[in-house]
Amino acid sequence: TGSPEPHLAPPGCRRARSPLAPHSAFATRVVRSPDAAKDPEKRLEFKPGVSIQPSRTSQEVQINNQALDDSDADAIVALIAEGKVKKLLLTNNQLGSGAAAKIVACLETNTTLTSLSLHSNRLGNAGAAQFANFLQGKNATLTSLFLSANDIDDGAKQTLRSLNEERTPKLSGLTGLVL
């Protein structure tokens, strides 16, 4: 018989090919972008197997428990830079200081993202230093930042808290700076 019918991606999703095996049907993964309906050629390149969870609104994106690491930072930055996402949850991954540096650089010009969760990654003190630089900047769009469970020592946590206290406006409220 003929070849099996190809799997069609749900609306708003695209098939992205793995750079490791560009012609293998098993190496593709569906990635969701808030801007997919407008630009079907635009791709967010995460490593094979990454699943982006849809939310009730297209303004929240969850990419939790996907083993994202520093090699996925460019795709994360592209997602933020699209300007459609207000809340981004990247919890329980393996993002380190390299990803933190790229995310912070993107946040400097961010005008949309208001909440970022990097809870339970591998940022360490070097990643915390990147976010300390962000807290000294002037961009006030981000109002919630979750950095808990990232192997950040007490000194680095205190630096982040102090910088947040000096920041105008502060990351405040129940969803403010959480270490």
Side-chain angles (χ1 to χ4, degrees):
T1 67
S3 60
E5 191 169 316
H7 172 73
L8 299 177
C13 293
R14 294 176 286 283
R15 281 194 170 281
R17 295 194 182 275
S18 166
L20 301 175
H23 300 293
S24 167
F26 298 106
T28 62
R29 72 254 183 235
V30 175
V31 293
R32 178 176 299 277
S33 166
D35 215 19
K38 292 180 186 174
D39 187 358
E41 295 301 313
K42 195 174 204 178
R43 292 185 179 150
L44 300 176
E45 296 291 334
F46 289 97
K47 66 177 145 259
V50 170
S51 171
I52 300 177
Q53 299 299 316
S55 67
R56 293 183 183 152
T57 71
S58 63
Q59 296 178 338
E60 178 181 315
V61 174
Q62 298 180 32
I63 315 174
N64 301 323
N65 305 305
Q66 298 294 318
L68 296 181
D69 59 26
D70 289 357
S71 69
D72 295 299
D74 289 334
I76 294 166
V77 166
L79 184 64
I80 295 169
E82 279 185 343
K84 306 290 183 193
V85 177
K86 288 191 174 192
K87 184 175 184 179
L88 181 57
L89 295 98
L90 302 169
T91 62
N92 296 315
N93 284 296
Q94 299 169 12
L95 298 168
S97 61
K102 289 183 177 186
I103 292 168
V104 165
C106 181
L107 290 175
E108 294 297 334
T109 57
N110 167 53
T111 59
T112 309
L113 190 69
T114 59
S115 181
L116 175 62
S117 176
L118 290 164
H119 169 77
S120 192
N121 276 278
R122 297 181 177 172
L123 300 179
N125 290 339
Q130 297 296 327
F131 282 97
N133 290 336
F134 170 73
L135 289 172
Q136 294 174 47
K138 300 198 182 319
N139 193 321
T141 305
L142 191 72
T143 57
S144 299
L145 179 60
F146 297 86
L147 300 176
S148 55
N150 270 291
D151 198 26
I152 299 171
D153 71 26
D154 290 341
K157 288 179 185 178
Q158 185 55 46
T159 298
L160 289 167
R161 286 188 187 102
S162 296
L163 289 170
N164 189 45
E165 286 302 313
E166 297 168 7
R167 188 173 192 252
T168 305
K170 293 179 185 66
L171 296 172
S172 61
L174 294 175
T175 59
L177 179 66
V178 176
L179 299 167

